[in-house]
Amino acid sequence: MDSSVRIRAARWTDRQAVAALIADALNLSPLGAWLVPDAAQRRQVMTDVVAVWVEHAMFFGDVHLTDDLTAAIVGFHRYRPIPPPANYPTRLVEAAGAHAERFTALECLIAQQQPTEPHYHLALLAVSPTRQKAGCGSALLSHHRARLDRIGLPSWTAVTAEPEHLLARYGYTLRPPLTVPNGPSLRPMRRNPHHASRAMPINPTRPVGDRWQDQHAYPSTP
Protein backbone atom coordinates (compact mmCIF):
# COMPACT_ATOMS: atom_id res chain seq x y z
CA MET A 1 0.00 0.00 0.00
CA ASP A 2 1.25 3.49 -0.81
CA SER A 3 2.18 4.92 2.59
CA SER A 4 1.55 8.43 1.29
CA VAL A 5 -2.18 7.65 0.88
CA ARG A 6 -3.93 7.94 4.23
CA ILE A 7 -7.10 5.88 4.67
CA ARG A 8 -9.70 6.27 7.38
CA ALA A 9 -13.22 5.15 8.20
CA ALA A 10 -15.85 7.56 6.96
CA ARG A 11 -17.72 9.68 9.45
CA TRP A 12 -21.45 10.36 9.26
CA THR A 13 -20.71 13.86 8.05
CA ASP A 14 -18.77 12.41 5.08
CA ARG A 15 -21.73 10.58 3.57
CA GLN A 16 -22.77 13.25 1.06
CA ALA A 17 -19.18 13.85 -0.05
CA VAL A 18 -18.71 10.11 -0.60
CA ALA A 19 -21.95 9.92 -2.60
CA ALA A 20 -20.87 12.85 -4.78
CA LEU A 21 -17.44 11.28 -5.35
CA ILE A 22 -19.02 8.01 -6.51
CA ALA A 23 -21.50 9.89 -8.71
CA ASP A 24 -18.61 11.72 -10.38
CA ALA A 25 -16.92 8.39 -11.14
CA LEU A 26 -20.13 6.92 -12.57
CA ASN A 27 -21.23 10.01 -14.44
CA LEU A 28 -19.30 9.35 -17.66
CA SER A 29 -19.36 5.55 -17.47
CA PRO A 30 -21.45 3.29 -19.73
CA LEU A 31 -23.30 2.00 -16.67
CA GLY A 32 -24.13 5.52 -15.51
CA ALA A 33 -25.38 6.39 -18.99
CA TRP A 34 -27.59 3.31 -19.00
CA LEU A 35 -29.01 4.01 -15.55
CA VAL A 36 -29.72 7.67 -16.30
CA PRO A 37 -29.75 8.36 -20.07
CA ASP A 38 -30.41 12.06 -19.51
CA ALA A 39 -26.91 13.51 -19.13
CA ALA A 40 -28.26 16.72 -17.62
CA GLN A 41 -29.88 14.81 -14.74
CA ARG A 42 -27.40 11.98 -14.36
CA ARG A 43 -24.98 13.32 -11.77
CA GLN A 44 -27.69 14.54 -9.41
CA VAL A 45 -29.72 11.34 -9.72
CA MET A 46 -26.65 9.20 -9.13
CA THR A 47 -25.65 11.29 -6.12
CA ASP A 48 -29.08 11.00 -4.54
CA VAL A 49 -29.40 7.24 -5.12
CA VAL A 50 -25.86 6.43 -4.01
CA ALA A 51 -26.36 8.56 -0.87
CA VAL A 52 -29.09 6.14 0.25
CA TRP A 53 -26.67 3.21 0.02
CA VAL A 54 -23.72 5.02 1.58
CA GLU A 55 -25.90 5.87 4.55
CA HIS A 56 -27.09 2.25 4.76
CA ALA A 57 -23.52 0.95 4.68
CA MET A 58 -22.74 2.98 7.78
CA PHE A 59 -25.25 0.78 9.65
CA PHE A 60 -24.77 -2.59 7.92
CA GLY A 61 -21.23 -2.44 6.59
CA ASP A 62 -18.45 0.09 6.34
CA VAL A 63 -17.17 2.99 4.29
CA HIS A 64 -13.47 3.82 4.00
CA LEU A 65 -11.96 6.73 2.14
CA THR A 66 -8.71 8.50 1.50
CA ASP A 67 -8.12 11.37 3.84
CA ASP A 68 -8.38 13.87 0.98
CA LEU A 69 -11.83 12.52 -0.02
CA THR A 70 -10.72 11.56 -3.53
CA ALA A 71 -11.36 7.79 -3.32
CA ALA A 72 -13.77 5.60 -1.37
CA ILE A 73 -14.81 1.99 -0.89
CA VAL A 74 -18.28 0.99 0.32
CA GLY A 75 -19.19 -2.51 1.47
CA PHE A 76 -21.72 -4.56 3.38
CA HIS A 77 -21.13 -7.26 6.00
CA ARG A 78 -23.38 -10.07 4.89
CA TYR A 79 -22.98 -12.46 7.80
CA ARG A 80 -26.72 -12.93 7.51
CA PRO A 81 -29.51 -11.40 5.39
CA ILE A 82 -29.86 -7.67 6.06
CA PRO A 83 -32.81 -5.43 5.23
CA PRO A 84 -32.96 -2.88 2.44
CA PRO A 85 -32.70 0.81 3.38
CA ALA A 86 -35.68 2.13 5.31
CA ASN A 87 -38.56 3.11 3.00
CA TYR A 88 -36.37 2.16 0.06
CA PRO A 89 -39.00 1.96 -2.73
CA THR A 90 -40.23 5.45 -1.85
CA ARG A 91 -36.74 6.86 -1.43
CA LEU A 92 -35.60 5.35 -4.73
CA VAL A 93 -38.46 6.98 -6.63
CA GLU A 94 -37.78 10.29 -4.90
CA ALA A 95 -34.09 10.08 -5.85
CA ALA A 96 -34.32 8.57 -9.34
CA GLY A 97 -37.74 9.63 -10.58
CA ALA A 98 -38.49 8.11 -13.97
CA HIS A 99 -35.18 6.20 -13.87
CA ALA A 100 -36.09 4.16 -10.78
CA GLU A 101 -37.06 1.10 -12.81
CA ARG A 102 -33.55 0.88 -14.26
CA PHE A 103 -31.98 0.86 -10.81
CA THR A 104 -34.40 -1.86 -9.74
CA ALA A 105 -33.60 -3.90 -12.86
CA LEU A 106 -29.89 -3.64 -12.10
CA GLU A 107 -30.46 -4.75 -8.50
CA CYS A 108 -32.38 -7.82 -9.62
CA LEU A 109 -29.71 -8.73 -12.16
CA ILE A 110 -26.94 -8.50 -9.58
CA ALA A 111 -28.92 -10.62 -7.11
CA GLN A 112 -28.87 -13.53 -9.56
CA GLN A 113 -25.20 -14.25 -8.85
CA GLN A 114 -24.63 -12.85 -5.38
CA PRO A 115 -23.35 -15.59 -3.01
CA THR A 116 -25.63 -17.10 -0.42
CA GLU A 117 -22.97 -17.87 2.20
CA PRO A 118 -21.61 -15.23 4.60
CA HIS A 119 -19.43 -12.79 2.70
CA TYR A 120 -18.35 -9.19 2.32
CA HIS A 121 -20.10 -7.38 -0.53
CA LEU A 122 -17.76 -4.84 -2.07
CA ALA A 123 -20.54 -2.66 -3.41
CA LEU A 124 -18.75 0.49 -4.56
CA LEU A 125 -15.16 1.46 -5.29
CA ALA A 126 -14.59 4.87 -6.81
CA VAL A 127 -11.69 7.19 -7.47
CA SER A 128 -12.15 10.82 -8.45
CA PRO A 129 -11.56 11.46 -12.17
CA THR A 130 -8.89 13.94 -11.10
CA ARG A 131 -6.95 11.25 -9.18
CA GLN A 132 -6.95 8.32 -11.61
CA LYS A 133 -3.66 6.38 -11.79
CA ALA A 134 -2.42 8.01 -8.58
CA GLY A 135 -2.50 4.83 -6.49
CA CYS A 136 -5.62 5.65 -4.49
CA GLY A 137 -7.60 2.63 -5.69
CA SER A 138 -4.66 0.33 -5.02
CA ALA A 139 -4.23 1.75 -1.52
CA LEU A 140 -7.91 1.18 -0.73
CA LEU A 141 -7.84 -2.38 -2.04
CA SER A 142 -4.67 -3.19 -0.11
CA HIS A 143 -6.33 -1.94 3.06
CA HIS A 144 -9.50 -3.85 2.15
CA ARG A 145 -7.55 -7.09 1.53
CA ALA A 146 -5.80 -6.91 4.90
CA ARG A 147 -9.11 -6.44 6.70
CA LEU A 148 -10.75 -9.38 4.90
CA ASP A 149 -7.85 -11.69 5.66
CA ARG A 150 -7.99 -10.78 9.35
CA ILE A 151 -11.67 -11.73 9.62
CA GLY A 152 -11.43 -14.68 7.23
CA LEU A 153 -14.35 -13.66 5.05
CA PRO A 154 -14.76 -14.13 1.28
CA SER A 155 -15.60 -11.05 -0.75
CA TRP A 156 -17.81 -10.58 -3.82
CA THR A 157 -18.38 -7.71 -6.20
CA ALA A 158 -19.81 -6.95 -9.65
CA VAL A 159 -17.83 -4.45 -11.68
CA THR A 160 -17.67 -2.86 -15.09
CA ALA A 161 -14.68 -3.73 -17.27
CA GLU A 162 -12.32 -0.95 -16.13
CA PRO A 163 -11.45 -2.10 -12.57
CA GLU A 164 -11.32 -5.81 -13.43
CA HIS A 165 -7.51 -6.00 -13.76
CA LEU A 166 -6.95 -3.94 -10.60
CA LEU A 167 -9.20 -6.25 -8.57
CA ALA A 168 -7.47 -9.30 -10.05
CA ARG A 169 -4.18 -8.05 -8.57
CA TYR A 170 -5.80 -8.26 -5.13
CA GLY A 171 -7.03 -11.83 -5.45
CA TYR A 172 -10.41 -11.44 -7.15
CA THR A 173 -11.32 -13.96 -9.85
CA LEU A 174 -13.97 -13.67 -12.52
CA ARG A 175 -17.36 -15.36 -12.45
CA PRO A 176 -19.88 -15.67 -15.32
CA PRO A 177 -20.69 -12.23 -16.75
CA LEU A 178 -23.98 -10.38 -16.39
CA THR A 179 -25.39 -8.34 -19.24
CA VAL A 180 -27.62 -5.38 -18.54
CA PRO A 181 -30.53 -5.40 -21.05
CA ASN A 182 -29.47 -3.08 -23.90
CA GLY A 183 -26.58 -1.96 -21.72
CA PRO A 184 -23.04 -2.80 -20.61
CA SER A 185 -21.80 -6.11 -19.22
CA LEU A 186 -20.90 -6.53 -15.58
CA ARG A 187 -18.19 -8.83 -14.30
CA PRO A 188 -18.93 -10.56 -11.00
CA MET A 189 -15.70 -11.28 -9.12
CA ARG A 190 -14.93 -13.21 -5.97
CA ARG A 191 -12.03 -13.34 -3.55
CA ASN A 192 -11.42 -16.00 -0.92
CA PRO A 193 -9.40 -14.97 2.14
CA HIS A 194 -5.85 -16.24 2.48
CA HIS A 195 -6.44 -17.26 6.09
CA ALA A 196 -10.12 -18.15 6.04
CA SER A 197 -11.81 -18.93 9.31
CA ARG A 198 -13.42 -22.35 9.41
CA ALA A 199 -16.38 -20.72 11.19
CA MET A 200 -17.27 -19.01 7.91
CA PRO A 201 -17.92 -21.66 5.24
CA ILE A 202 -17.07 -20.70 1.69
CA ASN A 203 -18.47 -22.18 -1.47
CA PRO A 204 -16.44 -20.86 -4.43
CA THR A 205 -18.42 -22.94 -6.94
CA ARG A 206 -21.74 -21.29 -6.25
CA PRO A 207 -21.87 -17.58 -7.15
CA VAL A 208 -25.66 -17.45 -7.02
CA GLY A 209 -28.16 -15.05 -5.69
CA ASP A 210 -29.70 -13.68 -2.58
CA ARG A 211 -33.06 -12.09 -2.93
CA TRP A 212 -33.48 -8.36 -3.56
CA GLN A 213 -34.67 -7.88 0.02
CA ASP A 214 -31.33 -9.21 1.29
CA GLN A 215 -29.75 -6.03 -0.09
CA HIS A 216 -27.05 -4.97 -2.41
CA ALA A 217 -25.82 -1.79 -3.96
CA TYR A 218 -24.27 -0.76 -7.23
CA PRO A 219 -21.19 -2.01 -9.01
CA SER A 220 -17.72 -0.84 -8.29
CA THR A 221 -16.36 1.89 -10.51
CA PRO A 222 -12.79 2.41 -11.65
Side-chain angles (χ1 to χ4, degrees):
M1 182 174 71
D2 185 347
S3 60
S4 67
V5 178
R6 297 182 57 189
I7 297 171
R8 63 174 175 83
R11 296 182 283 268
W12 182 252
T13 53
D14 294 321
R15 66 191 188 283
Q16 289 298 329
V18 171
L21 165 65
I22 294 167
D24 280 343
L26 284 168
N27 189 42
L28 298 178
S29 71
L31 181 62
W34 181 85
L35 286 166
V36 186
D38 186 340
Q41 297 182 22
R42 187 178 305 141
R43 187 182 183 281
Q44 187 60 58
V45 170
M46 297 300 304
T47 300
D48 292 344
V49 174
V50 170
V52 175
W53 292 103
V54 171
E55 176 184 314
H56 200 53
M58 291 186 170
F59 293 100
F60 292 98
D62 52 57
V63 180
H64 286 84
L65 65 158
T66 56
D67 209 31
D68 60 1
L69 295 173
T70 59
I73 192 168
V74 178
F76 294 91
H77 302 157
R78 299 181 61 84
Y79 302 110
R80 61 185 67 83
I82 58 178
N87 303 315
Y88 181 61
T90 298
R91 295 176 72 185
L92 178 60
V93 171
E94 290 175 350
H99 309 291
E101 289 186 2
R102 295 200 173 211
F103 285 90
T104 300
L106 178 63
E107 293 166 1
C108 293
L109 182 68
I110 290 173
Q112 293 175 13
Q113 288 200 29
Q114 193 158 7
T116 54
E117 81 264 22
H119 68 284
Y120 182 93
H121 178 197
L122 195 171
L124 295 158
L125 170 65
V127 178
S128 169
T130 65
R131 292 282 287 165
Q132 297 289 329
K133 312 298 183 183
C136 296
S138 294
L140 281 170
L141 283 173
S142 180
H143 179 265
H144 165 74
R145 176 178 61 187
R147 293 173 57 241
L148 291 178
D149 286 344
R150 282 198 300 272
I151 62 177
L153 199 65
S155 179
W156 185 89
T157 189
V159 299
T160 54
E162 291 82 359
E164 174 188 326
H165 297 297
L166 177 61
L167 285 161
R169 296 210 313 260
Y170 289 88
Y172 283 84
T173 58
L174 285 171
R175 292 293 183 260
L178 298 170
T179 300
V180 177
N182 300 312
S185 292
L186 299 179
R187 291 157 169 79
M189 301 185 77
R190 177 189 177 103
R191 180 186 185 273
N192 290 331
H194 288 178
H195 303 288
S197 167
R198 293 186 181 274
M200 289 291 182
I202 59 176
N203 181 3
T205 64
R206 190 188 179 198
V208 294
D210 286 332
R211 295 289 183 247
W212 175 87
Q213 291 88 348
D214 289 349
Q215 124 111 64
H216 50 272
Y218 301 106
S220 307
T221 57

